[in-house]
Amino acid sequence: MRVLGIETSCDETGVALYDTCGGLLAHRVHSQIDLHAAYGGVVPELASRDHIRCLPVLVRQTLEEAGCGLEAVDAVAYTVGPGLAGALLVGAGFAEALGTARGVPVLPIHHLEGHLLSPLLSGDPPAFPFVALLVSGGHTQLMRVGGVGDYALLGETLDDAAGEAFDKTAKLLGLGYPGGPQLARLAADGRPGRFALPRPMLRSPDLDFSFSGLKTAVVNVVSAPAWDPDDVADLAADFQEAVVEVLCAKSLRALAETALSQLVVAGGVGANRRLRARLDEAAAEKGWRVYYPEPELCTDNGAMIAFAGALRLSAGESVGRGGGAIRVRPRWALAELVPPRTG
Amino acid sequence: MKILAIETSCEHATAALLAGGETLERPLEGHANHSEYLLPMLVSLLAEAQFRLQDLDAIAFGAGPGAFTGLRLACSVAQGLAMGAELRVVPVCSLAALAVQAKAERVFVASDARMGEAYAAAYRFASPGVPIEVSAPVCVPPEALVLPDGQAWVAIGSALGHHDGRFPPALRAQASGWMPNSVARACDVARIAAQELAAGRSVAPECAAPIYVRDKVALTTEERRIRGGRA
């Protein structure tokens, strides 16, 4: 069974073709980073305009790369939420119409379900159940994953997402857009330990996070009279250490509390090297293991959507064959998802 | 010629099927959520006419200018249907479709563009139902609008009602007709698309795009700084 996956929830247009027998046959991602750079952030209207321009082109390219035509597509899966409403609507309208024309099943997929299942696409996948740390510019959540659609929220950020904290702090330090990855690169050149930054909620008994105070602490450092701009790499390193330490501590606590031994890390911040090193080291001490998606699948992509759709269809989820309402869910909690509904 | 047409550029949306010179048109329910009713309506139009999507010659859509989200709804559905059924797409200017309704030789169209502006264009008709563009769509404040040279322009479009009183007196005096309550309709989109298709003008699904006209939608960091705002 071959599933076409479509992702348009934010600033990346992603299309992929996944085969339940042959694996990922082809995938294409078009990033809008350059488009939004001059604005210092994602402009929703410009994002929507770029999605509708690129999406059908990427579909053609993906099919070409896979060496097949639309007749080989057995189902269409698309991101229905959460995300930017206008951007989501482009993917939903196109996917529902394509499914209508082809008479194939159409599956609306939760964006974060795509992310948290994406490590299962790797050559050495984890097995259910596991704990997932979803960490990106829009989300910071710990989930207990019992199976497809069986997601229990263990904890989440009460304010900024970790990636958002990286981006906002990078902006404060004048690192451009999107600053998160640049901040991480700068941190690699710095020595941590010079600036005493807080570890928000490290000692709170729950599994929640808070990152907005950290950003304020950085503001205080750089606006103090003693601040020397030459120390920016060291400050970046301390900022990164603070975020990573909290993410690590809470992830390990989640494993201990759920009595599970596998941690899946998904989302853009999951590509952070320091985070990976600290998590791997800490988990190994306990005899636990950490799983990551393939590096190219850390950002938003169509492969994870096609894969999530394929898992649900394979489990017998009953779905429409197009011709129905086009609806998006810009705000949608992952824990509201249910396992594949059959019959 | 068989054409399925979608027009969702404003809150009053329609879908239509043109076949054998006859058009079948239906209004879409929903004011701001046409997306929920569009595909079921298209499916029922085809069923009523006993056609399959594959029997069509093209998918047409009102490409705007108009409400951005509505334009993308029509465009993305046209792209998806056409790619899936291996059809061509005909984007039709929504102002040209609206001009047809005036049934006059010279038509000035002004539809509401929100933010105190109007989308405006002018057309002449050598034969009924075949608009020839005299001035291309622009997005301007009503005060800045002028009619092209010539007599007997019939003005049509939602901006006439929304911005009544803001049009230059000269424009009102020169207009021989004033139709503020009309919106573009899918049956006219379909008929114009048939002309376009007969003239060999259609595009592949991946080349179908909305006509936004209003292209400045956000300020860059630099522009905000110049205006004294925050970076």
Side-chain angles (χ1 to χ4, degrees), chain A residues 38 45 49 60 102 326, chain B residues 35 72 84 206 214 221 224:
Chain A
E45 173 60 23
R49 291 186 179 197
R60 291 263 199 236
R102 301 302 311 169
I326 298 164
Chain B
S35 61
R72 280 190 291 269
E206 57 268 43
R214 178 183 279 145
T221 309
R224 288 197 300 274

Side-chain angles (χ1 to χ4, degrees), chain A residues 38-40 43 45-46 48-49 52 56-57 59-60 70 89-90 93-94 96-98 100-102 323-327, chain B residues 35-36 39-40 53-54 68-69 72 75-77 79-81 83-85 205-206 212 214-215 217-221 224:
Chain A
Y39 299 88
V43 180
E45 173 60 23
L46 295 181
S48 301
R49 291 186 179 197
I52 203 161
V57 178
V59 170
R60 291 263 199 236
L70 274 171
L89 195 65
V90 171
F94 181 87
E96 290 284 353
L98 185 65
T100 303
R102 301 302 311 169
I326 298 164
R327 278 195 197 102
Chain B
S35 61
E36 305 205 3
L39 281 172
L53 210 46
Q54 287 75 8
F68 299 155
T69 301
R72 280 190 291 269
C75 183
S76 64
V77 166
Q79 288 174 340
L81 289 176
M83 192 176 280
E206 57 268 43
Y212 297 108
R214 178 183 279 145
D215 286 322
V217 295
L219 296 178
T220 63
T221 309
R224 288 197 300 274

Side-chain angles (χ1 to χ4, degrees), chain A residues 144-312:
Chain A
R144 184 191 186 281
V145 181
V148 176
D150 176 8
Y151 313 126
L153 181 69
L154 301 173
E156 64 184 331
T157 182
L158 304 179
D159 41 56
D160 290 352
E164 191 180 1
F166 262 92
D167 286 339
K168 286 179 175 174
T169 303
K171 200 168 175 177
L172 285 170
L173 299 177
L175 296 181
Y177 169 87
Q182 298 193 48
L183 180 62
R185 273 194 293 277
L186 188 62
D189 297 332
R191 274 179 307 121
R194 294 189 53 197
F195 300 96
L197 297 180
R199 303 290 190 263
M201 298 188 71
L202 185 64
R203 311 218 176 278
S204 72
D206 49 41
L207 294 170
D208 289 334
F209 304 92
S210 166
F211 293 108
S212 68
L214 199 46
K215 184 184 61 198
T216 310
V218 170
V219 172
N220 291 340
V221 171
V222 299
S223 48
W227 168 243
D228 179 353
D230 286 344
D231 294 338
V232 68
D234 292 343
L235 179 58
D238 268 320
F239 170 82
Q240 179 171 265
E241 281 306 303
V243 175
V244 164
E245 187 177 336
V246 179
L247 288 173
C248 273
K250 299 258 167 162
S251 299
L252 293 179
R253 191 185 298 167
L255 285 169
E257 286 185 9
T258 53
L260 295 174
S261 59
Q262 302 172 99
L263 176 71
V264 156
V265 181
V269 180
N272 184 287
R273 290 184 180 186
R274 185 65 188 147
L275 177 65
R276 288 190 173 205
R278 288 282 303 266
L279 278 175
D280 287 341
E281 191 183 335
E285 277 177 26
K286 305 262 189 188
W288 298 335
R289 223 188 121 181
V290 191
Y291 296 84
Y292 307 93
E294 300 290 335
E296 65 185 89
L297 300 185
C298 274
T299 56
D300 292 350
N301 63 82
M304 65 185 193
I305 302 304
F307 180 63
L311 286 182
R312 284 188 167 270

Side-chain angles (χ1 to χ4, degrees), chain B residues 81-173:
Chain B
L81 289 176
M83 192 176 280
E86 295 179 39
L87 300 170
R88 300 286 286 181
V89 177
V90 185
V92 172
C93 174
S94 298
L95 300 185
L98 179 51
V100 172
Q101 281 182 55
K103 294 190 168 55
E105 282 181 24
R106 293 187 191 81
V107 182
F108 177 76
V109 186
S111 65
D112 182 32
R114 304 201 181 177
M115 301 171 77
E117 293 184 313
Y119 294 120
Y123 301 88
R124 64 183 174 83
F125 291 81
S127 56
V130 186
I132 299 161
E133 191 178 279
V134 174
S135 64
V138 291
C139 180
V140 292
E143 291 82 357
L145 288 169
V146 283
L147 288 180
D149 289 340
Q151 295 300 305
W153 288 93
V154 172
I156 188 170
S158 56
L160 306 181
H162 279 284
H163 305 298
D164 197 16
R166 287 184 56 197
F167 290 91
L171 187 149
R172 277 205 85 133

